[in-house]
């Protein structure tokens, strides 16, 4: 199969309507889209990614009026979350109506839904006219793609088309929130922070190890594994909390990403000093991929706070460390 590069939203919508697979940009990462009401297309999607069948997909919609066709009950706090954060990097897990394919929900009785904040993709979604399932557009286990080139690197020849667009703005995936209980529970931290969600419901919390594992199937898998070894270092903010091991010579073969300039003796072959947590998140996955392509075997990520977007960074980097 030849994978085409598209810039016309009508063409992308047409391929999706006919049951094809198109990688679409969102504000978080690129997604691999297929019609949610077409089981054959969804089966091809799992196949193209090499994704385990028991990991459910997020359904993407253009407008909130499409919600009622997908879920049976939306609690008040979820309405408020949607009003505040959609379109945006928030996925709400809600009770699924029986019409939602169990291939998408991986047999669960809930469905993850979001409205992405990307002008072309919302146009594509409107034009397709039905909800579209879209996991991140990477081969399973690889870092999520934040550029269209990264999608090609992973999926060229396996999907029908890639919609061309600039690098994604947020850079880490959406916050997945279980909205089936009395208060929101974050299953995966992301672009919307715990504090943001607590502003809407004060009892909102992070998922704990003691919560049922089946509620957040994605956390079972090793994710975001670049070919290079990933490690925490620092922080190099003068707080004096560097560990002894960080002082070891990096022998000129490692790369570094972080908010502070690392000490000179670390002698990194490549370093990306970012100016904010937002920039750290935006650059992280592409940095992993660039390092890999440069043959770098070890990547050091500067430790970050777990406040705000820091929690999502912490989660993704910890999972890359494995
Ligand atoms: O930002 C994003 O969320 C991107 C863009 C493309 O929208 N999508 C994305 O999809 O990251 P994916 O498939 O790579 O990750 C979806 C996560 C997985 O951890 C999955 O287990 C979880 O959402 N999920 C989906 N449906 C769920 C459900 N019904 N219950 C619990 N977790 C669910
Ligand atoms: Mg993914």
């Amino acid at each position: 199969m030849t994978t085409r590069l598209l810039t016309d939203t009508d063409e992308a919508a047409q391929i999706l309507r006919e049951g094809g697979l198109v990688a679409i940009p969102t504000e978080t990462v690129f997604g691999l889209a297929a019609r949610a009401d077409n089981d054959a297309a969804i089966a091809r999607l799992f196949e193209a990614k090499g994704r385990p069948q028991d990991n459910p997909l997020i359904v993407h919609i253009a407008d909130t009026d499409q919600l009622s066709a997908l879920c049976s009950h939306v609690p008040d706090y979820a309405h408020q979350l949607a009003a505040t954060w959609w379109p945006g990097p928030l996925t709400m897990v809600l009770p699924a109506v029986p019409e939602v394919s169990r291939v998408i929900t991986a047999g669960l009785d809930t469905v993850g839904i979001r409205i992405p904040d990307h002008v072309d993709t919302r146009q594509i979604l409107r034009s397709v006219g039905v909800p579209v399932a879209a996991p991140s557009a990477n081969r399973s286990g690889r870092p999520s793609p934040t550029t269209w080139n990264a999608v090609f690197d992973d999926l060229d020849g396996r999907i029908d088309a890639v919609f061309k667009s600039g690098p994604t703005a947020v850079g880490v995936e959406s916050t997945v929130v279980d909205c089936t209980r009395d208060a929101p529970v974050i299953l995966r931290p992301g672009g919307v922070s715990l504090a943001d969600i607590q502003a809407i419901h004060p009892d909102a919390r992070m998922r704990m190890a003691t919560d049922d594992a089946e509620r957040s199937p994605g956390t079972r898998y090793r994710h975001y594994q670049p070919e290079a070894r990933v490690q925490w270092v620092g922080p190099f903010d003068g707080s004096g909390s560097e560990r002894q091991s960080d002082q070891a010579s990096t022998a000129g073969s490692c790369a570094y990403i972080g908010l502070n300039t690392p000490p000179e003796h670390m002698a990194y072959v490549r370093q990306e000093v970012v100016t904010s947590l937002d920039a750290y998140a935006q650059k992280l996955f592409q940095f992993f991929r660039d390092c890999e392509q440069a043959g770098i075997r070890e990547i050091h990520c500067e430790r970050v706070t777990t406040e705000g977007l820091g929690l999502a960074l912490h989660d993704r980097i910890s999972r890359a460390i494995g």
Side-chain angles (χ1 to χ4, degrees):
M1 176 192 306
T2 308
T3 301
R4 295 166 59 206
L5 186 61
L6 305 178
T7 52
D8 179 358
T9 56
D10 287 335
E11 229 176 324
Q14 178 67 21
I15 295 171
L16 287 168
R17 243 182 270 116
E18 290 166 358
L21 303 182
V22 182
I24 52 170
T26 80
E27 79 283 33
T28 57
V29 300
F30 278 74
L32 179 58
R35 279 180 86 120
D37 63 355
N38 182 329
D39 274 358
I42 301 296
R44 274 185 63 215
L45 192 159
F46 274 93
E47 171 81 28
K49 273 187 62 96
R51 183 178 177 103
Q53 299 282 340
D54 58 351
N55 195 6
L57 307 179
I58 296 171
V59 175
H60 293 62
I61 57 177
D63 288 291
T64 41
D65 55 17
Q66 288 175 296
L67 257 186
S68 57
L70 295 167
C71 59
S72 53
H73 173 69
V74 182
D76 284 344
Y77 71 75
H79 279 296
Q80 280 173 268
L81 283 170
T84 310
W85 289 105
W86 280 357
L90 175 77
T91 295
M92 297 203 293
V93 171
L94 291 158
V97 296
E99 289 74 24
V100 177
S101 166
R102 298 294 129 150
V103 188
I104 288 176
T105 67
L108 298 175
D109 54 8
T110 56
V111 57
I113 306 170
R114 85 177 189 103
I115 302 182
D117 188 11
H118 191 286
V119 62
D120 294 327
T121 283
R122 274 187 92 193
Q123 184 51 43
I124 292 168
L125 292 172
R126 273 191 213 101
S127 168
V128 175
V130 296
V132 150
S136 50
N138 50 283
R139 289 294 289 268
S140 202
R142 302 270 302 132
S144 290
T146 56
T147 63
W148 63 263
N149 310 71
V151 179
F152 263 97
D153 287 343
D154 275 17
L155 297 174
D156 190 15
R158 306 178 70 87
I159 63 176
D160 296 293
V162 177
F163 193 87
K164 190 175 176 186
S165 180
T168 57
V170 178
V172 292
E173 306 86 346
S174 63
T175 305
V176 178
V177 182
D178 181 357
C179 295
T180 64
R181 311 197 214 187
D182 294 342
V185 176
I186 297 183
L187 303 178
R188 176 179 74 180
V192 175
S193 73
L194 175 59
D196 292 333
I197 295 170
Q198 284 171 337
I200 286 165
H201 197 306
D203 297 333
R205 62 171 177 88
M206 261 307 286
R207 167 181 186 273
M208 293 180 291
T210 50
D211 290 328
D212 334 339
E214 62 268 23
R215 280 193 182 272
S216 53
T219 57
R220 278 201 299 268
Y221 300 101
R222 283 180 79 196
H223 262 190
Y224 322 111
Q225 297 279 332
E227 280 162 30
R229 205 165 96 91
V230 181
Q231 259 189 285
W232 287 115
V233 285
F236 302 123
D237 57 358
S239 65
S241 55
E242 288 110 283
R243 295 217 206 123
Q244 201 53 43
S245 62
D246 298 342
Q247 309 301 317
S249 161
T250 55
S253 59
C254 304
Y256 167 85
I257 182 167
L259 286 160
N260 295 288
T261 305
E264 234 164 78
H265 74 267
M266 302 289 285
Y268 288 108
V269 285
R270 175 184 291 234
Q271 61 183 51
E272 177 85 55
V273 178
V274 294
T275 52
S276 63
L277 281 181
D278 286 358
Y280 200 154
Q282 204 260 330
K283 294 201 149 80
L284 182 71
F285 288 149
Q286 190 58 38
F287 187 72
F288 284 171
R289 287 173 178 267
D290 290 344
C291 287
E292 238 176 61
Q293 271 179 3
I296 291 169
R297 302 302 307 155
E298 194 163 321
I299 303 170
H300 290 181
C301 298
E302 190 185 24
R303 290 186 181 84
V304 283
T305 79
T306 52
E307 302 292 304
L309 195 56
L311 190 61
L313 273 169
H314 211 87
D315 172 76
R316 302 312 188 274
I317 294 169
S318 300
R319 293 215 245 165
I321 291 168

